[in-house]
Amino acid sequence: MSRIRSVATAARDRRAFLAATGAVSLSAGIGLALRPGTGEAAAGTAATTHGRPVAVSRRAPAAPLAPYTRGTSLSTVAAARPGSGYRRLGDGPAWPRVVRGDLAAPGAGRAERRTALAAFVQFTDLHLVDVQHPLRYEYLRAQTASAWRPQESLSVAGAVSLVERVNALRGAPVTGSPLHFVMTTGDNTDNNARTELDWFLKVMSGGRITPNSGDPDRYEGVQNSDLTLYWQPESALRDADKQLGFPRIDGFLAAAIRELRSPGLNLPWYSTVGNHDSLPGGCYAPGDSFFADFAVGGRKLMTLDESVGTALWKNVKKGGDPRGAGFKEMLTSEGRRMRSVTPDEGRAPFTPAEYLRAHLDPAHTGAGPVGHGYSQANLAAGTQYYTFRIADDLLGISLDTTDPGGHYEGSLGTAQLRWLERTLKAAGKDGEHVIVFSHHTSRTMRNLREDPAHPGERRHGGDEVLAVLGAHRPVLAWVNGHSHKNDITPHPAPGGRSFWEVSTASHVDFPQLARVIEIADNHDGTLSLFTTLIESAAPHRTNVDDLSQTGLAALYRELSFNAPGARTDLSGAPEDRNTELVLKKS
């Protein structure tokens, strides 16, 4: 079993450097070590020693931790039971751990020598959905399965169950290290709506959530529209989904908008922004008052001619309408088809500043830190990227890869790229390792549109970011999401430098996963990164008559498996799931 390195020493204070180089200040609500002399978790403010921030974590377990598999995909994973049509889920076989030596040869005896450096959990692409929001484009379901999913009305219940799973984990599965924090890598919300942002923050930090907007007493959306395009769970109508075996469930919609309670994570958590958090629909440049007015208004489009929908989505995919001019024109022309819904100011889009203020609100501090990585310095500078202390010699960097110019792919502006270079250079001088977090993957950073707020500033794609990361020895991994698929890519670099890119599947599409990541020193010139996938705490087997909070979370998973048109490759290959990723120690 691994030895766990003592991390009860003060973290380096690099505020002076970051301030001098124009960077956002180092987040001080930090995520690793125990406060000297105690096992108390920080809740809102950073512990300090002689004015310097000390990394903090949740209360240490009473007994030494040991490696385990229970509650992870190393034990069992949801899988379809025999049958055809709508498939019920049950307990499936475990996913084994694969050792990958693409970047360094795994040495014999390393398991006996290794020392745990840090461990954390990655959430990504939670997509908490206000399913009654007027700006949603469910009517494009025939063009893209992501336009509407039959499970979406249960996204909050599913996310709460994921929090419950993390809270129940006995530390890190391989090294036995305490888990130190959760990082969510963007698309926390689905449609840049204030309702969704409130739900997300309460899921993560705890609270009562009513996943409903508009009429406070009844659902008003596509699932009671009597349109065959959508699953009508409470109707006898033979809609397209019921023809595939989807069940009729009396009381489903009332249960979907019923109040839920989240316990909140019992360890610190950090936030990274994604395109669905910043852009209406996840793809249109923000700031158009037409979309803001439509979002809070009383009209909702639920059907669209297929030819119009095909042309619209084709244009979105190729990036031909980043400001949504064509989308606006279509909505204006389809007024007669729209249905009346209850207006709701809570559905208004939130600005980047409002996103930051919401994170900084003490009501959402939970287990900490205040701001969940974001600071007043971010608010003053108008930025959404930052650094934070993971461990004594391990720095976390959270990037903002969303392009405010529009479109769902990402990039970095020059100012952020230069800040990243300075931060990595300083980490190298300090002898630190670095984990980089972002929403977009290297392959989905091809959107180089100008940021309207920074005219004349260049945007930089994934290849340039890879070059910057590969030029600095401290980088161990780039952890991201966006693709909704498990994928792990080795990135060798000149001079013996190398790092791993770890992309994790979403929690909205099946298989609905999160990932535990552990870093260990093998004391033979190599490090190992262990990745272990976890599901929510909901049982694999469902009972459609169980509309409790837990029952809804289980149904959320089963509906996602059966969603028509959903991709079946999002689990990735075995080497993208539970792994040991070996690399040379810089």
Side-chain angles (χ1 to χ4, degrees), residues 541-574:
R541 289 179 177 264
T542 63
N543 176 355
V544 296
D545 295 322
D546 180 6
L547 299 181
S548 67
Q549 185 169 320
T550 299
L552 293 176
L555 192 56
Y556 181 58
R557 183 192 294 122
E558 185 170 278
L559 292 171
S560 73
F561 174 82
N562 287 281
R567 290 172 58 183
T568 58
D569 63 342
L570 300 180
S571 297

Side-chain angles (χ1 to χ4, degrees), residues 399-416:
L399 300 177
D400 173 9
T401 56
T402 296
D403 190 332
H407 194 49
Y408 51 75
E409 291 203 346
S411 58
L412 295 183
T414 297
Q416 186 178 179

Side-chain angles (χ1 to χ4, degrees), residues 288-574:
D288 191 318
S289 60
F290 174 88
F291 294 129
D293 292 341
F294 199 89
V296 302
R299 299 182 303 158
K300 182 175 174 65
L301 184 64
M302 300 187 186
T303 59
L304 187 66
D305 288 343
E306 186 170 346
S307 60
V308 177
T310 298
L312 181 68
W313 185 244
K314 183 178 180 180
N315 201 23
V316 169
K317 285 182 66 178
K318 69 179 184 180
D321 189 24
R323 294 186 177 274
F327 187 43
K328 183 197 301 187
E329 181 181 352
M330 181 276 293
L331 288 174
T332 302
S333 67
E334 295 289 336
R336 291 185 178 182
R337 290 196 187 195
M338 293 185 186
R339 301 194 181 192
S340 295
V341 295
T342 303
D344 190 339
E345 292 292 330
R347 294 170 176 153
F350 53 83
T351 66
E354 289 170 335
Y355 186 77
L356 293 173
R357 290 192 192 99
H359 281 74
L360 289 161
D361 187 339
H364 300 309
T365 296
V370 172
H372 304 290
Y374 300 119
S375 67
Q376 291 294 336
N378 285 115
L379 200 54
T383 59
Q384 291 178 288
Y385 49 90
Y386 60 90
T387 64
F388 67 106
R389 177 66 53 199
I390 295 175
D392 287 354
D393 300 316
L394 186 59
L395 187 71
I397 299 178
S398 173
L399 300 177
D400 173 9
T401 56
T402 296
D403 190 332
H407 194 49
Y408 51 75
E409 291 203 346
S411 58
L412 295 183
T414 297
Q416 186 178 179
L417 188 70
R418 298 294 172 255
W419 169 85
L420 176 62
E421 290 176 321
R422 293 193 300 269
T423 305
L424 292 174
K425 185 177 180 180
K429 287 183 178 179
D430 289 345
E432 297 184 310
H433 297 303
V434 172
I435 305 290
V436 177
F437 301 90
S438 74
H439 178 63
H440 291 88
T441 68
S442 61
R443 296 187 185 95
T444 56
M445 293 181 66
R446 299 172 295 184
N447 178 15
L448 305 182
R449 286 176 180 79
E450 184 178 84
D451 178 353
H454 297 91
E457 183 187 45
R458 280 190 59 212
R459 303 290 296 187
H460 304 268
D463 288 344
E464 289 187 79
V465 176
L466 285 173
V468 168
L469 299 182
H472 294 85
R473 287 185 179 276
V475 179
L476 302 181
W478 179 5
V479 179
N480 52 44
H482 185 69
S483 64
H484 291 212
K485 181 181 179 181
N486 290 319
D487 185 45
I488 298 179
T489 306
H491 290 294
R497 297 182 296 272
S498 60
F499 64 93
W500 292 92
E501 183 174 358
V502 180
S503 306
T504 300
S506 74
H507 202 252
V508 67
D509 291 316
F510 189 84
Q512 296 185 345
L513 300 169
R515 197 188 294 264
V516 180
I517 298 177
E518 306 169 62
I519 304 102
D521 188 340
N522 294 320
H523 297 286
D524 61 359
T526 68
L527 298 171
S528 288
L529 276 65
F530 294 95
T531 73
T532 306
L533 293 164
I534 58 173
E535 302 170 290
S536 79
H540 293 156
R541 289 179 177 264
T542 63
N543 176 355
V544 296
D545 295 322
D546 180 6
L547 299 181
S548 67
Q549 185 169 320
T550 299
L552 293 176
L555 192 56
Y556 181 58
R557 183 192 294 122
E558 185 170 278
L559 292 171
S560 73
F561 174 82
N562 287 281
R567 290 172 58 183
T568 58
D569 63 342
L570 300 180
S571 297

